[in-house]
Amino acid sequence: MKPELKKNISMIGAPLDLGASLRGVSLGPDAIRYAGIKERLERIGYDVIDEGNVSVKKEEAFTVPGSNLKNMNVIVEANKELCEKVDTALKKGNFPLVLGGDHSIAIGTIKGVLHNIKNLGVIWFDAHGDINTDKTSPTGNIHGMPVASLLGYGVKDLKEIGGEEYKLNKKNFVFIGSRDLDAPERETMKELGMHVFTMHEVDKMGIVAVMEEAIRIASDGTDGIHVSFDMDVLDPEVAPGTGTKVKGGMGYREAHLSLELIAKTEKLVSAEFVEINPLLDHENMTGEAVVSLAGSLLGEWLI
């Protein structure tokens, strides 16, 4: 049986690329729009309201002397606006679908969700851990820090976005598809007892078993599940248009099946797709993959 559809989707673009080393993912939201995401979701049965993009004032970006956190001032402001837009969408009864942008935008997305759903489970599809802080990051790129911030670690400026009191519970957070972790990230994950399904587990257990366990963890005592989907979780042959490609990622069918299984739980409350870089893509192949994956996540079934 298909899950019952929420009628309205608020689609929000977050064209932020200052959290990464490479420029270009700021073009991601419009590449996904160009690939026809609004029309695809409307065919499923949704009313899709395109809320436009949050503002990103690149010309004002700077790195504080003595800090390794690049462009934090603009990243913080963009995430604050995104948090407000997601919060507003949920208060209207809409489903927030955020199009990125680098993965630092997850701070604003998830904080906006937490304003409405305190007990939130998160399934984080990503080749990387994104659980660095200013003390552990080898690059100072904030797209490698959102998980730490959302759990209540790292610098105050990032934790304060949307209110420092809003944070995730590590017991309901699940990583899927990890295969490129910094040494400090591995130590942090072990110390915190994070739930991590690397590509080794995906290969060994099979994607159905992995997802069943991930859904159980994210659902345990929570009031909904958020999906944060970094396109670099996919193998570069499937998604070439992303800036931090790592061979050996999830296949096309594995990704679709994963999202279909989440959709069938009827517990999905919000989602984001991030790290789409059209400058590195082939004929918008990665933007089109987002459209197809969003269809699977939001209830597009053959029968």
Side-chain angles (χ1 to χ4, degrees):
M1 179 182 294
K2 294 184 183 181
E4 183 179 349
L5 300 178
K6 292 184 178 180
K7 185 178 180 183
N8 294 331
I9 291 175
S10 284
M11 190 168 68
I12 305 163
L16 181 66
D17 64 5
L18 295 174
S21 293
L22 291 173
R23 302 282 77 84
V25 292
S26 59
L27 304 173
D30 283 344
I32 299 167
R33 289 181 175 107
Y34 180 76
I37 190 166
K38 185 174 187 289
E39 294 78 10
R40 182 73 164 257
L41 297 178
E42 286 174 340
R43 285 198 299 272
I44 298 173
Y46 291 100
D47 292 328
V48 181
I49 303 102
D50 191 339
E51 307 283 1
N53 292 340
V54 300
S55 57
V56 179
K57 299 176 181 177
K58 287 189 180 183
E59 68 281 0
E60 298 179 9
F62 67 90
T63 299
V64 177
S67 169
N68 72 333
L69 296 172
K70 298 174 182 174
N71 310 310
M72 186 167 68
N73 62 318
V74 174
I75 291 170
V76 167
E77 289 307 309
N79 271 284
K80 285 180 178 178
E81 183 182 341
L82 178 57
C83 173
E84 291 173 2
K85 282 183 174 288
V86 170
D87 181 23
T88 298
L90 282 163
K91 284 181 168 51
K92 289 179 179 177
N94 295 355
F95 180 98
L97 175 62
V98 178
L99 312 177
D102 69 61
H103 219 159
S104 69
I105 69 167
I107 301 173
T109 302
I110 292 175
K111 283 297 188 78
V113 179
L114 287 170
H115 284 192
N116 298 270
I117 300 167
K118 183 179 179 181
N119 298 312
L120 181 68
V122 174
I123 301 181
W124 190 276
F125 293 88
D126 202 323
H128 308 90
D130 293 354
I131 199 168
N132 274 308
T133 68
D134 58 312
K135 300 291 193 299
T136 64
S137 173
T139 63
N141 291 331
I142 293 175
H143 76 159
M145 304 181 191
V147 176
S149 175
L150 289 162
L151 292 173
Y153 301 99
V155 296
K156 195 171 183 65
D157 294 63
L158 295 177
K159 292 187 294 184
E160 283 182 337
I161 294 167
E164 195 168 350
E165 68 274 23
Y166 296 99
K167 54 188 173 182
L168 295 171
N169 190 331
K170 66 181 181 181
K171 79 180 185 70
N172 299 121
F173 191 103
V174 190
F175 291 97
I176 304 286
S178 309
R179 61 190 186 279
D180 184 18
L181 303 174
D182 298 325
E185 288 185 306
R186 290 196 295 271
E187 289 305 312
T188 298
M189 287 172 165
K190 289 176 185 177
E191 288 173 10
L192 294 178
M194 302 297 293
H195 302 287
V196 186
F197 293 96
T198 68
M199 285 307 300
H200 174 82
E201 278 76 42
V202 171
D203 290 340
K204 184 178 179 180
M205 298 170 59
I207 194 61
V208 172
V210 165
M211 289 310 303
E212 286 176 346
E213 181 62 8
I215 289 166
R216 184 195 67 76
I217 292 166
S219 302
D220 185 19
T222 64
D223 300 314
I225 294 174
H226 171 79
V227 165
S228 192
F229 199 100
D230 187 322
M231 293 301 285
D232 70 25
V233 76
L234 301 175
D235 193 85
E237 291 186 2
V238 180
T242 188
T244 46
K245 290 184 275 288
V246 186
K247 290 182 179 180
M250 292 176 71
Y252 186 81
R253 275 306 315 151
E254 286 177 317
H256 277 279
L257 181 55
S258 298
L259 299 182
E260 288 163 3
L261 291 171
I262 295 170
K264 288 183 178 181
T265 68
E266 303 185 44
K267 295 179 179 179
L268 185 71
V269 294
S270 51
E272 64 198 339
F273 289 88
V274 304
E275 300 286 358
I276 301 93
N277 191 333
L279 300 182
L280 304 175
D281 210 359
H282 304 315
E283 298 180 342
N284 207 20
M285 182 176 173
T286 308
E288 290 177 356
V290 171
V291 174
S292 181
L293 290 166
S296 288
L297 182 62
L298 290 163
E300 185 177 59
W301 314 109
L302 289 176
I303 298 176

